[in-house]
Amino acid sequence: MTSTLQAPAPLSAASSGSGWHGLILQRLAHRDLREKDAFAELFADHAAARSKTAALSSQLSALRLEHAQTLKVAATAQEFGSSDSARKFADLELQMRQLKDERAELYKTQGQNAQKLLKLMESVQQSDGTVGGLQEENTKLKAQLATVSVSLKDAQELIREKDHVIQILRDELQTHQLELSQREGQLEDREKRVGDLEKENKYLVDRWIQLKQEQAARMNEANEYVENALKNKATSPAITRQHSSSERIYDTGTPSFFVPKSLTRRINAHDGEINCIQMSPDGSFVATGGNDKRVILYDAHTGGIKSTLSGPVQSIMSIAFNNSSELVMGTSNDNSAKLWNVGTGRLKHTLTGHIGKVFAAKFTDAGRVISGSHDRTIKVWDLQRGFCADTIFTLSSCNDLCLLNGDGTLIASGHLDNNVRIWDTRSKSLVKEISVHFGQVTGVTMHPTQNALLTTSRDNTLKLIDLNTYQTLATYSHDSYRPGMNWTKSTFSPDGGHIASGSGDGGLCLWRTSDARFERVMKEHRSAVCGVVWGLKNVVSAEKDRGVIWWGP
């Protein structure tokens, strides 16, 4: 008895594409189908053999009974000598031998089937062992696949970071190339300007000599007049009185502002952290901006909230008023600057064009706005036409800027790379790069009466820089002074005699400008101080944790 076993069909391209575990499952399915058919045929043969064996056994029993009866009949026939009985007996013996042979053949077939069954059982056990091994290998491969997937994800994340760094480096390279071309153009312009300046210098020297000669002539006339007056002994008391009056003109007396010493009022108006504070030029408003995307205007004298201005979709980083205090501007992390009308609270302009956070902006006297951003550019905006008029590439992210003159043709900017840069916005050229700090520059402020610039840095110092010589006039520091933000701003008193700046531990520090003497620290804030404004009648500071404090003498 034979059984036909069908070979497994070859794998198609679609099944092979499903992976090695799909291949294993498909082969196991073919094996089950193949062995199931083999066992079914074997069991069917075995059942038929058993049925046939039972039938033959039953026939054998019947034949044995018939044989016994035949023997009896034969014995009787022998006794009687019948020829039919002898012939019948011989036939029965032949049938019995045939049945015995057939039974022996069936027993042999049954043994062979049992042997086949044992072999098939051994094959099944081996297949089960192979399946177990494959399942264990599958488990190991799944664990390896999970590990490789995690490694692949980490590698992809690292590649994205590297791509970002490469893009930044490309932008820096492009910026440097542009700056190099600008510098080459500036060098040519400077050579031309040197010639012009030499001519102008010669003209000015000649003019200065002429003025000095005129002054010497006037001095000679004055000396001659004094000598004549002394000779005549005619000193006029009216002149003396006039001289005394002139002296009183320069007698400033008691200043109209005060030096803060104690807290008078605390207000918490924002729903998030405060990033900046500013006072209007007329001293009537104080404005703060923060992470709640709002600019809040307060009455500078009473501390009452006048209005709340909204519109930006991210945090407010700096605030500025125009000279008439009619417009207030807030720069935002949404890469824009927004201008509101102070009286109506309505949004008037939205300046978009930066591709990074805008950390600073100022109004000029000429109806323009100058903004500095972390996209390493400074932009000049024409408010009349509402678009960007010029762009200056600064080589580093800009944290703050201030105007060195009213029309904004000269500006100073503080940068992430620890440098202060002076720019000519008309030619978009770098006038001077000042490197006096060892940490990023967070704020730049113009002295109210002198041609000097105050810088605030994360190296825990403030420096006063002479803009004529670009030399450091004074350095202000103290053990208790540690700026807590990358946009911390400092301020002067109205006469420029004092400097105030906030520390990361909530202290408000005061120095004397002339000799850099540290006067006091006032610790009423509960978190890092982001800025302070000092008017004729108000000193107000803001802290990160939503607090705004009014100070009194």
Side-chain angles (χ1 to χ4, degrees):
M1 182 181 301
T2 59
S3 61
T4 303
L5 300 180
Q6 297 179 353
L11 294 177
S12 63
S15 62
S16 62
S18 61
W20 55 266
H21 52 284
L23 177 63
I24 292 174
L25 293 176
Q26 187 175 17
R27 288 183 175 176
L28 289 175
H30 282 299
R31 187 217 59 181
D32 291 343
L33 181 61
R34 182 183 67 251
E35 293 183 355
K36 180 179 178 181
D37 295 340
F39 277 112
E41 186 177 354
L42 177 65
F43 290 153
D45 292 344
H46 183 68
R50 288 185 64 180
S51 176
K52 191 173 183 180
T53 301
L56 291 174
S57 297
S58 177
Q59 291 180 7
L60 182 62
S61 298
L63 290 172
R64 282 178 179 174
L65 180 61
E66 186 178 357
H67 178 64
Q69 292 177 356
T70 304
L71 288 176
K72 291 179 180 180
V73 172
T76 305
Q78 286 179 358
E79 290 177 1
F80 295 101
S82 172
S83 60
D84 293 334
S85 297
R87 183 176 53 79
K88 190 175 182 180
F89 178 75
D91 292 338
L92 290 174
E93 283 185 348
L94 179 61
Q95 289 179 7
M96 185 177 67
R97 284 195 299 272
Q98 289 177 351
L99 290 173
K100 285 183 178 180
D101 292 339
E102 190 173 356
R103 186 179 66 177
E105 185 68 25
L106 289 173
Y107 280 141
K108 182 179 178 180
T109 302
Q110 186 177 6
Q112 291 175 352
N113 289 336
Q115 188 67 27
K116 287 182 179 179
L117 181 63
L118 290 175
K119 289 182 180 179
L120 289 174
M121 292 297 294
E122 290 178 358
S123 176
V124 169
Q125 291 177 355
Q126 291 177 357
S127 299
D128 290 341
T130 303
V131 170
L134 291 174
Q135 289 178 345
E136 184 178 355
E137 185 178 359
N138 185 21
T139 304
K140 293 180 180 179
L141 290 174
K142 284 182 178 178
Q144 292 178 2
L145 179 62
T147 304
V148 171
S149 298
V150 173
S151 301
L152 178 61
K153 189 178 293 183
D154 294 339
Q156 289 174 344
E157 184 65 26
L158 181 62
I159 289 172
R160 281 195 294 270
E161 292 179 359
K162 296 294 184 183
D163 289 341
H164 181 65
V165 172
I166 290 171
Q167 185 62 40
I168 292 175
L169 292 175
R170 285 176 178 172
D171 293 343
E172 292 286 347
L173 177 61
Q174 185 178 1
T175 304
H176 284 297
Q177 288 175 344
L178 182 59
E179 182 66 19
L180 178 61
S181 62
Q182 288 181 349
R183 291 286 178 90
E184 290 175 350
Q186 291 170 10
L187 183 60
E188 296 176 357
D189 293 340
R190 285 182 182 178
E191 290 176 353
K192 182 178 178 182
R193 288 173 61 189
V194 165
D196 296 339
L197 289 174
E198 287 177 352
K199 294 178 181 178
E200 186 178 356
N201 184 46
K202 182 179 179 182
Y203 168 75
L204 291 175
V205 169
D206 294 339
R207 186 177 174 185
W208 179 74
I209 293 173
Q210 183 180 358
L211 289 174
K212 285 297 182 182
Q213 290 175 350
E214 293 175 357
Q215 288 178 0
R218 285 196 295 270
M219 286 295 294
N220 291 333
E221 292 177 359
N223 290 334
E224 185 179 354
Y225 174 78
V226 171
E227 289 176 359
N228 292 333
L230 289 174
K231 288 179 181 179
N232 296 327
K233 296 181 180 180
T235 304
S236 172
I239 295 176
T240 304
R241 285 194 298 271
Q242 186 177 1
H243 179 70
S244 300
S245 176
S246 299
E247 287 181 350
R248 284 196 299 271
I249 291 174
Y250 296 98
D251 183 11
T252 58
T254 303
S256 59
F257 61 91
F258 62 88
V259 177
K261 293 182 180 179
S262 60
L263 180 148
T264 60
R265 185 183 299 108
R266 180 192 296 272
I267 295 176
N268 290 335
H270 283 274
D271 296 330
E273 295 178 353
I274 297 177
N275 296 324
C276 53
I277 184 171
Q278 189 57 261
M279 181 180 288
S280 62
D282 61 5
S284 58
F285 295 101
V286 170
T288 57
N291 290 351
D292 58 0
K293 310 166 190 174
R294 299 185 300 164
V295 173
I296 298 180
L297 294 177
Y298 311 84
D299 186 297
H301 305 290
T302 65
I305 296 177
K306 289 290 187 179
S307 61
T308 299
L309 310 175
S310 59
V313 296
Q314 292 190 30
S315 304
I316 305 294
M317 299 308 299
S318 75
I319 296 174
F321 288 89
N322 67 344
N323 289 338
S324 63
S325 302
E326 295 176 353
L327 297 177
V328 62
M329 173 171 51
T331 67
S332 173
N333 283 346
D334 64 5
N335 307 343
S336 71
K338 295 185 181 296
L339 285 72
W340 294 270
N341 186 289
V342 173
T344 64
R346 285 188 170 184
L347 183 65
K348 187 172 183 180
H349 291 291
T350 297
L351 307 178
T352 58
H354 283 290
I355 59 173
K357 301 174 182 178
V358 185
F359 266 33
K362 294 290 187 293
F363 286 96
T364 72
D365 296 342
R368 293 191 168 194
V369 166
I370 300 178
S371 61
S373 168
H374 266 213
D375 63 4
R376 301 182 294 279
T377 66
I378 292 174
K379 290 184 179 290
V380 181
W381 305 86
D382 189 333
L383 296 184
Q384 301 256 342
R385 292 178 285 180
F387 71 93
C388 177
D390 286 307
T391 299
I392 301 173
F393 294 92
T394 62
L395 304 179
S396 177
S397 297
C398 180
N399 287 333
D400 193 22
L401 62 83
C402 72
L403 309 183
L404 303 186
N405 52 20
D407 59 4
T409 55
L410 283 178
I411 62 172
S413 56
H415 294 274
L416 187 68
D417 63 358
N418 311 340
N419 291 322
V420 176
R421 293 179 172 89
I422 311 298
W423 303 93
D424 186 336
T425 59
R426 293 167 298 184
S427 62
K428 298 188 292 185
S429 60
L430 179 64
V431 177
K432 182 67 177 180
E433 184 174 271
I434 306 172
S435 301
V436 293
H437 286 289
F438 299 101
Q440 59 177 298
V441 180
T442 65
V444 287
T445 306
M446 190 66 180
H447 194 286
T449 62
Q450 299 177 13
N451 192 28
L453 183 71
L454 178 68
T455 61
T456 307
S457 172
R458 290 306 294 267
D459 64 4
N460 306 326
T461 65
L462 290 82
K463 292 184 182 290
L464 188 64
I465 301 171
D466 188 335
L467 293 177
N468 295 319
T469 63
Y470 302 113
Q471 299 298 315
T472 301
L473 300 176
T475 299
Y476 308 89
S477 62
H478 194 263
D479 293 339
S480 61
Y481 180 67
R482 298 286 186 276
M485 300 179 179
N486 291 340
W487 49 89
T488 300
K489 307 292 189 296
S490 305
T491 189
F492 286 101
S493 61
D495 68 342
H498 288 81
I499 294 172
S501 187
S503 180
D505 61 358
L508 183 61
C509 300
L510 296 180
W511 291 269
R512 199 160 61 186
T513 307
S514 58
D515 56 2
R517 175 184 173 184
F518 183 80
E519 290 199 349
R520 70 176 68 91
V521 58
M522 299 170 290
K523 292 191 175 181
E524 296 291 347
H525 285 287
R526 299 163 187 164
S527 61
V529 180
C530 61
V532 55
V533 291
W534 196 332
L536 292 174
K537 298 181 180 179
N538 312 91
V539 177
V540 188
S541 57
E543 63 177 273
K544 181 179 180 181
D545 191 18
R546 299 181 294 173
V548 183
I549 289 180
W550 269 255
W551 300 91

